[in-house]
Amino acid sequence: QVQLVESGGGLVQPGGSLRLSCVASGRLFSIYVMGWYRQAPGKQRELVATITRLGSTNYADSVKGRFTISRDNAKNTVYLQMNSVQPEDTAVYYCNAASSTPWGERNNYWGQGTQVTVSS
């Protein structure tokens, strides 16, 4: 089992910055990619950014140039640096981890989410 705990959300003005954190615990050896998703009120959950074990990153077009995903392996933590935030970034942000074992077991894990509100 893997547990994910997000933190760092809050209220921020347009153009401001936030840093989200996701701390992973449990059986982490089989995780090959982690990422951030978000879900705005009344909308589907969407991918924001991902990062692999080797550090390869991928971003949604809507956040390229503004958000940066990174990891600190020593702390089992993934970060999302959010710069130049806009009202449309308002959502609950969820941390995700995907695992795959040599014996064929696949799992996806989700944190409880942290609220980000961009408003003046």
Side-chain angles (χ1 to χ4, degrees):
Q1 288 285 346
V2 174
Q3 288 188 311
L4 306 173
V5 179
E6 306 99 329
S7 63
L11 177 64
V12 62
Q13 292 184 321
S17 298
L18 282 177
R19 177 181 285 261
L20 307 184
S21 299
C22 173
V23 179
S25 61
R27 296 172 62 85
L28 310 178
F29 58 88
S30 60
I31 296 175
Y32 62 91
V33 64
M34 296 186 66
W36 288 95
Y37 291 71
R38 66 186 182 186
Q39 187 166 22
K43 299 184 67 176
Q44 296 283 338
R45 187 174 299 184
E46 64 176 351
L47 184 147
V48 177
T50 61
I51 186 167
T52 69
R53 279 188 171 272
L54 298 179
S56 179
T57 58
N58 193 22
Y59 297 92
D61 288 340
S62 59
V63 306
K64 285 181 179 178
R66 300 189 298 119
F67 293 5
T68 302
I69 189 170
S70 61
R71 70 195 311 163
D72 185 337
N73 291 331
K75 298 181 179 179
N76 297 319
T77 302
V78 175
Y79 304 95
L80 184 68
Q81 179 66 45
M82 306 169 60
N83 296 329
S84 302
V85 295
Q86 303 170 6
E88 53 265 37
D89 296 319
T90 295
V92 177
Y93 283 71
Y94 296 92
C95 184
N96 169 264
S99 67
S100 181
T101 67
W103 52 90
E105 182 180 2
R106 297 180 179 181
N107 285 291
N108 268 279
Y109 303 93
W110 295 92
Q112 296 91 341
T114 184
Q115 176 71 50
V116 173
T117 302
V118 183
S119 176
S120 60

